[in-house]
Amino acid sequence: MLPELLPRPAAIEPAEYLKRREALIAQLPQNAAMVVPGASLVTRSHDSEYAFRQQSDFYYLTGIQEPDGLLVLLPGREEGQSVVFCQDRDPTLEAWTGRRLGALGVERLHGIDQAYENAQRDELLPSLLEGRELLYVPLDNPEALSIAENALAHAQAGLRRGKPALKGWLDSRPLTHQMRLIKSPAEIALLRHAAAISAQAHVRAMRVCQPGLSEYQLQAELEHEFKWQGASGPAYSTIVGGGANACVLHYIENSDVLDADTLVLIDAGAEFDLYAGDITRTFPVSGRFSEAQRALYQVVLEAQERAIQAVAPGASLVDIHQRVVRDLTAGLISLGLLEGDVEARIDDESYRRFYLHSTSHWLGLDVHDVGTYRLDEQTPRPLVEGMVLTVEPGLYIPEDDELPAVYRGIGIRIEDNVVVTSAGHEVLTSGVPKQVAEIEQLMATK
């Protein structure tokens, strides 16, 4: 029987992208311009390219999925405040790689004020930026920096003719990333769908898991479900770590055989319309937890559940992480894996021997999505409605540790995706079980 298809959410409307551009333009001085390049194709081998993935800020502001785009925002420009340069229409190339939007398609389908093909870019871009005294560009983008340097040279050449000087450029990312931090209802719908696909894939992996399979075979089950459900594929490199491989946080080789006596950690999420799911589950390869595995798993699970309950407007990721550190440390002491007082072991950071990472990150168009975690060095950013984050505590006992053998080589992480609501929170990834009894029951039904 073929897997059930999940109902697809509506795509984000051009009107929402227009609203974002207008909100961004409203933050710019009238004498400024902003330039945001899209992504380009990257050669994989000879004449073959990697699958194209649009640059997230460019996509957030345009919804355009074609490579080699350039967005120019020009506050107060009478002919239109948003201009896009796009791929040239080329019947010969389009016969090989598919139809291109062209300037008319960009204007008609994406609500851009004016669009031009890239063949006109070198001629038109300097005149569009002429007279602008400030230029906002993403400072991590070489193409954007090259545009800024060319604009400066063009402005300096015009000084003798009375043209205004370009005073310099500023980083555009703080403005766009602050906007991206708060998700709209349409974005949350896409994140909910990416989470649902991801959850269904994790359930599928649990159902088929058995000793003797290879890690890459579970990876194949996960990624088949992603594609079957209409996702573009994984939102990041899929992690399937059996046994001690789970103690390597970014283990992606996925090449070992799964042993009956071990746990397997899967960290995998689907990308749908560029929005990411990000789920981690840890479960026994055999379908049944050992006593030691269950005890350690419960420490992580209870810390994760308490952390999720703390997600609400006004809380902060720092608060949530500190709560998790305290719960994990107390659990490690209760199991005899650490000794002494909880506060003492937190103060001397003994827990970091087993818990190496933070509890949460933002989630959205990027898996580790943009936005700062603090308002300044002393002030954690408070959560507000519309933020989306992960909650993912873990414990990792190295294989060569001196602890009792029953705990060695165990890595456990449990991760869910959570949206902040006015009333508290919504867990987007509840479709995949994490209670011990639920996991064992599911795995018993192959």
Side-chain angles (χ1 to χ4, degrees):
M1 186 172 64
L2 296 176
E4 177 186 359
L5 285 175
L6 298 169
R8 295 170 67 99
I12 296 176
E13 295 290 336
E16 180 163 331
Y17 293 104
L18 172 60
K19 185 177 179 181
R20 294 172 186 173
R21 293 193 297 272
E22 290 176 339
L24 189 53
I25 288 169
Q27 300 177 62
L28 301 178
Q30 284 296 298
N31 65 345
M34 180 180 288
V35 175
V36 182
S40 297
L41 290 168
V42 178
T43 299
R44 183 182 187 275
S45 174
H46 190 47
D47 59 353
S48 175
E49 287 85 25
Y50 286 102
F52 177 71
R53 205 278 186 184
Q54 187 59 275
Q55 199 278 337
S56 295
D57 284 349
F58 181 86
Y59 184 77
Y60 179 78
L61 294 168
T62 67
I64 295 171
Q65 281 274 40
E66 285 191 351
D68 299 324
L70 181 72
L71 172 67
V72 185
L73 298 179
L74 301 159
R77 182 172 177 265
E78 292 184 3
E79 302 90 333
Q81 297 185 108
S82 63
V83 177
V84 163
F85 291 93
C86 64
Q87 293 185 114
D88 305 339
R89 293 298 309 274
D90 186 323
T92 301
L93 287 175
E94 290 179 50
W96 287 91
T97 59
R99 185 175 175 85
R100 296 176 174 184
L101 289 171
L104 291 178
V106 167
E107 291 178 2
R108 185 177 69 253
L109 298 177
H110 293 280
I112 300 295
D113 295 329
Q114 285 187 326
Y116 302 97
E117 294 183 1
N118 283 332
Q120 299 177 274
R121 184 170 131 177
D122 288 346
E123 174 191 354
L124 296 179
L125 185 57
S127 61
L128 288 174
L129 298 180
E130 191 172 77
R132 302 284 167 168
E133 298 180 20
L134 288 173
L135 187 58
Y136 287 79
V137 297
L139 294 182
D140 63 342
N141 187 293
E143 180 184 0
L145 291 174
S146 177
I147 290 170
E149 290 168 356
N150 290 338
L152 177 62
H154 185 79
Q156 288 174 329
L159 288 177
R160 292 185 179 222
R161 302 191 305 273
K163 300 291 185 181
L166 176 63
K167 296 177 180 177
W169 46 83
L170 300 170
D171 196 352
S172 63
R173 292 173 299 172
L175 297 178
T176 53
H177 294 180
Q178 175 68 18
M179 291 174 59
R180 283 177 54 189
L181 187 53
I182 311 299
K183 274 62 178 181
S184 70
E187 289 183 285
I188 291 171
L190 292 174
L191 285 164
R192 186 179 289 112
H193 190 63
I197 293 173
S198 305
Q200 195 147 311
H202 276 260
V203 168
R204 177 170 164 173
M206 286 183 182
R207 282 196 171 120
V208 304
C209 183
Q210 58 183 307
L213 288 182
S214 293
E215 294 164 339
Y216 60 76
Q217 291 174 306
L218 290 190
Q219 177 182 358
E221 294 287 340
L222 291 153
E223 295 181 6
H224 180 276
E225 187 69 26
F226 295 165
K227 295 293 287 187
W228 180 262
Q229 295 292 348
S232 59
Y236 52 95
S237 296
T238 298
I239 296 169
V240 182
N245 292 337
C247 298
V248 180
L249 297 183
H250 289 169
Y251 173 81
I252 58 173
E253 287 80 2
N254 301 345
S255 56
D256 284 352
V257 174
L258 297 169
D259 183 77
D261 297 328
T262 63
L263 301 177
V264 57
L265 182 155
I266 295 179
D267 188 339
E271 183 175 88
F272 185 83
D273 278 4
L274 273 70
Y275 286 84
D278 186 5
I279 301 176
T280 306
R281 289 294 187 267
T282 310
F283 54 92
V285 172
S286 67
R288 300 285 296 182
F289 287 86
S290 71
E291 182 178 344
Q293 290 167 351
R294 182 183 294 108
L296 201 61
Y297 184 90
Q298 281 298 138
V299 169
V300 179
L301 177 61
E302 290 169 13
Q304 199 238 12
E305 290 177 326
R306 279 170 48 83
I308 289 174
Q309 288 304 313
V311 175
S316 74
L317 300 192
V318 173
D319 297 335
I320 293 167
H321 178 67
Q322 289 174 343
R323 177 190 295 261
V324 163
V325 166
R326 182 166 283 99
D327 287 345
L328 293 180
T329 303
L332 289 165
I333 291 172
S334 72
L335 294 178
L337 304 182
L338 286 177
E339 296 179 351
D341 176 70
V342 172
E343 295 302 326
R345 297 292 74 79
I346 293 173
D347 290 343
D348 67 14
E349 297 190 333
S350 297
Y351 69 90
R352 289 184 62 83
R353 175 178 165 196
F354 308 113
Y355 184 40
L356 312 174
H357 55 83
S358 297
T359 300
S360 298
H361 58 76
W362 306 127
L363 186 69
L365 282 170
D366 295 306
V367 175
H368 286 254
D369 206 27
V370 296
T372 61
Y373 297 119
R374 292 180 177 271
L375 300 177
D376 54 47
E377 291 185 1
Q378 287 75 39
T379 312
R381 179 183 291 279
L383 299 179
V384 300
E385 182 180 0
M387 290 179 172
V388 182
L389 60 141
T390 66
V391 179
E392 50 177 311
L395 287 175
Y396 313 90
I397 315 298
E399 197 171 24
D400 58 356
D401 204 287
E402 297 177 354
L403 293 174
V406 290
Y407 293 113
R408 290 183 215 155
I410 293 179
I412 297 169
R413 184 164 65 253
I414 308 171
E415 177 181 21
D416 282 298
N417 307 160
V418 184
V419 56
V420 182
T421 67
S422 60
H425 63 268
E426 174 192 352
V427 179
L428 302 179
T429 45
S430 57
V432 53
K434 59 185 177 182
Q435 301 296 327
V436 167
E438 293 173 343
I439 291 172
E440 292 183 341
Q441 181 179 6
L442 174 65
M443 295 186 71
T445 310
K446 298 294 183 183

